[in-house]
Amino acid sequence: MSASNRSIARRGILALAVSCALTGGAAATSPTLAATPAAGPIMSGAGPGWPATLSPSDFVPRVTNPWFPLQPGSEWRYTGLKDKTKTVDVVTATHKTRLILGVATTVVHDVVSVKGRPEEVTDDFYAQDRHGNVWYFGEETKELNAQGKTTSTEGSFQAGANGARAGVLIPGTPKVGLVGRQEFRKGEAEDHFEVLDLKASVSVPFVSSKRALRTREWTPLEPGMIDNKYYIRGIGSVREIAVKGAVERLRLVSFKKG
């Protein structure tokens, strides 16, 4: 999915340069939404400086990265503008998992509404490796009409299918200048990030901080679009704003920890 659609509606972003091989650990798998068989090494789409391949044993059962904590039952509520239209985005870390390439990914449910009506409903799939890096394994997204019927599933993908690969969403130890791909399916999903600041100031209705993590997001598929995102430890993403391209912004108005 494009950066302008995917990033304004959800999840964190970054990566940690890994210079050593990943080792250890096994992932829990219950309950599950669906399953795909493990198929040997997991091809990475994170790009240079990241492991070229991983295995299911490189991942731990839960996503606990402090910049992107997915404690089951947690809920984030955002308000903002997308294409100059007021939107409400409710993101929930569920108790469900989906088994992808032998990894039990955490399912995060995301509903974007306009005038009280859901317009986009997405399940995102995340998993954390032993270094604290959060990997993005794909999404199932639906665009809905006024009657609540699905009109499009464009942007849906799953690592291991049709050339898609998992990318890094957030690092265990973010560093200024760190870059990577968040997802990869050539010509369709090529979102990138760069860590810009570890002591950024940010203020939203729910919280304020002078030690926020600020990132830049873009995709070569839409060179006229650039977003900045802000993260606070223990909460996750709190603000997103388009700094180039269409007018888009989100800010966190409430957070309930699961």
Side-chain angles (χ1 to χ4, degrees):
M1 177 177 276
S2 69
S4 60
N5 288 331
R6 186 185 63 78
S7 63
I8 200 68
R10 43 195 175 274
R11 58 272 160 248
I13 292 24
L14 334 162
L16 169 67
V18 179
S19 59
C20 59
L22 301 176
T23 58
T29 59
S30 179
T32 60
L33 291 177
T36 57
I42 300 169
M43 303 299 293
S44 166
W50 294 88
T53 61
L54 304 100
S55 70
S57 63
D58 293 324
F59 293 89
V60 297
R62 294 291 186 186
V63 177
T64 58
N65 183 305
W67 298 106
F68 195 67
L70 297 182
Q71 177 69 27
S74 294
E75 181 184 279
W76 298 258
R77 185 179 182 87
Y78 303 87
T79 61
L81 292 176
K82 183 177 180 180
D83 298 327
K84 299 182 180 180
T85 302
K86 292 183 179 181
T87 63
V88 176
D89 185 12
V90 179
V91 179
T92 305
T94 75
H95 292 264
K96 301 175 182 178
T97 64
R98 169 162 295 186
L99 192 65
I100 301 176
L101 297 174
V103 178
T105 65
T106 295
V107 179
V108 174
H109 190 63
D110 189 332
V111 180
V112 177
S113 300
V114 176
K115 296 181 180 180
R117 178 178 68 81
E119 285 198 345
E120 184 176 341
V121 178
T122 304
D123 282 339
D124 294 297
F125 312 120
Y126 302 99
Q128 181 173 306
D129 69 31
R130 286 189 163 273
H131 297 274
N133 307 304
V134 179
W135 292 75
Y136 182 47
F137 276 74
E139 65 180 77
E140 285 186 353
T141 186
K142 297 184 294 185
E143 295 180 13
L144 309 178
N145 63 16
Q147 290 71 44
K149 295 184 178 180
T150 300
T151 59
S152 174
T153 59
E154 183 180 0
S156 299
F157 78 100
Q158 183 169 293
N162 302 313
R165 300 182 180 185
V168 174
L169 207 68
I170 227 159
T173 309
K175 298 179 180 179
V176 173
L178 184 63
V179 298
R181 274 198 306 249
Q182 300 164 320
E183 57 185 6
F184 183 72
R185 185 178 177 189
K186 188 172 180 61
E188 296 186 27
E190 300 185 25
D191 289 7
H192 289 65
F193 74 87
E194 178 184 6
V195 179
L196 299 179
D197 196 347
L198 298 175
K199 296 181 180 179
S201 294
V202 64
S203 182
V204 297
F206 180 73
V207 69
S208 296
S209 175
K210 294 182 178 181
R211 299 184 66 85
L213 169 67
R214 180 167 66 99
T215 68
R216 177 171 71 103
E217 287 189 21
W218 76 98
T219 172
L221 305 179
E222 294 184 1
M225 306 291 292
I226 298 176
D227 288 347
N228 275 189
K229 280 192 173 182
Y230 295 78
Y231 303 83
I232 293 178
R233 290 176 63 91
I235 297 175
S237 176
V238 300
R239 184 173 187 253
E240 179 174 352
I241 184 168
V243 296
K244 182 179 179 181
V247 176
E248 293 187 346
R249 61 175 178 264
L250 284 177
R251 57 182 188 169
L252 183 69
V253 296
S254 67
F255 168 62
K256 180 184 69 174
K257 186 176 181 179

